Every structure is written in C-alpha cells, then in structure tokens.
Amino acid sequence: MKGKSYIWAYCLLCLTSYAHAQVNFSCVVDSNQMLIGDQRLLTLQIKTTEELTPDTVDFKPWREAGVELLQPQRWHRDRENNYIQQLRFAVFDTGYLQLPPLMLSYQQQGQMQTALSNDLALEVNGITIDSTGLAPIKPILREPLMFRDF
C-alpha cells in the first residue's frame, strides 16, 4: 500500500513539472469589430517559466484569409520575462472572419519546437452611405443674355 502511494506521488510530481514547463502563446486584438481598411493592433504574448528564443510567427493562414500585416515582427521582453510583440494589421474585405490559430516556432534547450495560439473572430463592416442627408438636385438657373456675353 505504501509503495502505491509513492508511485502516485511520483506521477503527480512528474505531471506538475510537465505542466509547469509549457509555453503559453496567445494573441489578442484590441477590437473584434472594424471597418474595411481600418487598422487594428494585434498583441502576441509568450508566457513561459523556462528560457526560450522565439522565432517568427507563421501568418500564412491569416494572409490567405485576407489579413494584411503592416509592421515587421519584433519580440520584446516585459518585466516578468514574457515575450510580447504588437503588430498593426488591416483587412480589405467585408464579412465575418474566423482566423485560425497562429503557429510560433521557438528554440528551447537546443531544440526547435512549436506552439499554437488561440483562434480569433473578426467582423469587418463596409462603409454605409447615408442617403437621407442628401439634398435633391436643384434646377439650373438661367441668366438673361447680355451684350458683353458676345
């Protein structure tokens, strides 16, 4: 009986150390609604307890969905040693977009590994024209002919 409790304790210890060393890669948009052609700020964040070297993020699935990145990728460290990157992007098509998770490649303990982010949903609206505020077309005003007109 005592041997089984040691085995369970060892398994529990291994699971907590495995969960403790995972990389959490997330992406957040400042607003999920936008007008066509507007720019939004995308914040990418890597939270981890171990040392790693982030590589680039693969935006190919987002480009295929119509998202245009407007800035190059640069990772910065914050006070808690997390990596953060903020990018501006624009969308030039209207509708609802379900953006797939982004894939991050990073190097940890000499090995290349990958992590997936969360998926995002965007609503891109077109610009509506207010036709109720337009005045009707006025008729042409006629002037009498004068001698100096010739």
Side-chain angles (χ1 to χ4, degrees), residues 23 46 52-55 104-108 111-115:
V23 174
I46 304 171
L52 63 83
T53 305
D55 201 11
L104 166 72
S105 299
Y106 62 94
Q107 187 172 4
Q108 189 175 33
Q111 294 181 352
M112 286 301 289
Q113 298 181 11
T114 59

Side-chain angles (χ1 to χ4, degrees), residues 30-99:
D30 59 352
S31 175
N32 287 6
Q33 294 182 343
M34 60 189 299
L35 290 176
I36 187 169
D38 273 354
Q39 296 181 12
R40 288 287 178 249
L41 189 64
L42 172 70
T43 303
L44 303 174
Q45 185 174 23
I46 304 171
K47 291 183 180 181
T48 184
T49 56
E50 294 190 11
E51 190 66 31
L52 63 83
T53 305
D55 201 11
T56 59
V57 178
D58 183 19
F59 282 98
K60 185 178 179 185
W62 282 26
R63 283 190 197 104
E64 291 171 355
V67 176
E68 298 289 331
L69 291 178
L70 304 175
Q71 291 176 327
Q73 298 184 37
R74 287 193 196 101
W75 289 105
H76 304 286
R77 280 195 144 170
D78 65 0
R79 293 180 189 155
E80 292 103 27
N81 275 342
N82 298 324
Y83 289 94
I84 293 179
Q85 148 168 224
Q86 292 186 327
L87 301 168
R88 290 220 170 266
F89 70 94
V91 180
F92 297 101
D93 196 9
T94 59
Y96 292 97
L97 294 176
Q98 185 69 32
L99 299 174

Side-chain angles (χ1 to χ4, degrees), residues 106-126:
Y106 62 94
Q107 187 172 4
Q108 189 175 33
Q109 298 174 353
Q111 294 181 352
M112 286 301 289
Q113 298 181 11
T114 59
L116 291 176
S117 72
N118 52 312
D119 57 343
L120 291 174
L122 285 177
E123 179 184 0
V124 184
N125 297 315

Side-chain angles (χ1 to χ4, degrees), residues 129-145:
I129 299 173
D130 183 19
S131 62
T132 60
L134 298 176
I137 299 175
K138 293 185 179 181
I140 298 174
L141 296 176
R142 301 282 180 192
E143 290 184 6
L145 288 175

